[in-house]
Amino acid sequence: MSLCPRCQAAEEKIRVEHKGLNAQGELVWTIFHCSACEFTWRDSEPATSIDYEEREAFFRVDPKKPYPIIMPPAQYK
């Protein structure tokens, strides 16, 4: 993984969160986290989620700018 699929942050802003292994101990997928935009993804997700060029522009962010949408807190019942 070289760039964040959400904000295009460089590799030094990305860390490995978890490596998923199968029963034989072989690496199946990896979860990454970007500290620039706080995006977390698994490398086995579809390109529309983890390829910057394939992602809808609405879901791309510039970590230097404030987020344009503020989500309200979840309502628990």
Side-chain angles (χ1 to χ4, degrees):
M1 181 57 48
S2 57
L3 297 174
C4 173
R6 185 178 187 210
C7 73
Q8 294 289 276
E11 190 171 352
E12 60 267 7
K13 296 280 187 177
I14 299 169
R15 70 176 181 255
V16 172
E17 289 288 303
H18 183 74
K19 292 184 178 192
L21 307 175
N22 65 14
Q24 292 76 37
E26 301 166 324
L27 181 64
V28 180
W29 46 260
T30 304
I31 295 177
F32 297 95
H33 176 80
C34 174
S35 63
C37 71
E38 302 302 331
F39 185 57
T40 301
W41 70 98
R42 186 179 354 210
D43 62 359
S44 61
E45 293 182 53
T48 53
S49 296
I50 62 171
D51 182 330
Y52 186 82
E53 298 303 321
E54 296 285 326
R55 287 176 68 85
E56 292 182 43
F58 179 81
F59 296 109
R60 298 176 189 165
V61 298
D62 180 348
K64 296 177 192 128
K65 295 180 182 177
Y67 286 56
I69 298 172
I70 298 173
M71 296 178 64
Q75 301 295 315
Y76 296 101
K77 295 180 181 180

